[in-house]
Amino acid sequence: MAGDWRPVLARSVTLRHDRVRGVDLLVLPERVVVLRGSAGSVVGLCDGEREVEEIVGELARLHPDAPVADEVPGFLAALRAEGWLR
């Protein structure tokens, strides 16, 4: 993954919160992806302004005991591979 990548949702993808189910969703054309756990919080930081390292740093600050440095870059890369992040 490029060190200067500033992830942002693809143009056809929106992040929504389903208050009834209490989950975050990625809404795509003709498809909805349910985000479990803290995935919605991670995606919410993908604003096109922050580099991956900055997102990891912010999450590490908010959740000091979580393995964000190990998990978040791979998660973001998987979303990019799906075409949901650019």
Side-chain angles (χ1 to χ4, degrees), residues 25-38:
L25 307 168
L26 287 181
V27 181
L28 301 92
E30 301 183 25
R31 183 174 179 191
V32 174
V33 176
V34 177
L35 299 174
R36 302 282 181 204
S38 60

Side-chain angles (χ1 to χ4, degrees), residues 9-11 13 16-17 26 30 32-34 37 40 42 50-51 55 66 68-70 73 79 81 83:
L9 287 173
R11 287 184 179 93
V13 179
R16 300 257 191 254
H17 182 73
L26 287 181
E30 301 183 25
V32 174
V33 176
V34 177
V42 174
R50 298 175 180 101
E51 293 182 2
I55 293 170
V68 295
D70 296 331
L79 294 183

Side-chain angles (χ1 to χ4, degrees), residues 1 52 56-57 59-60 63 65-77:
M1 180 179 321
V52 173
V56 168
L59 291 167
H63 309 284
D65 296 328
V68 295
D70 296 331
E71 296 179 2
V72 171
F75 173 68
L76 295 178

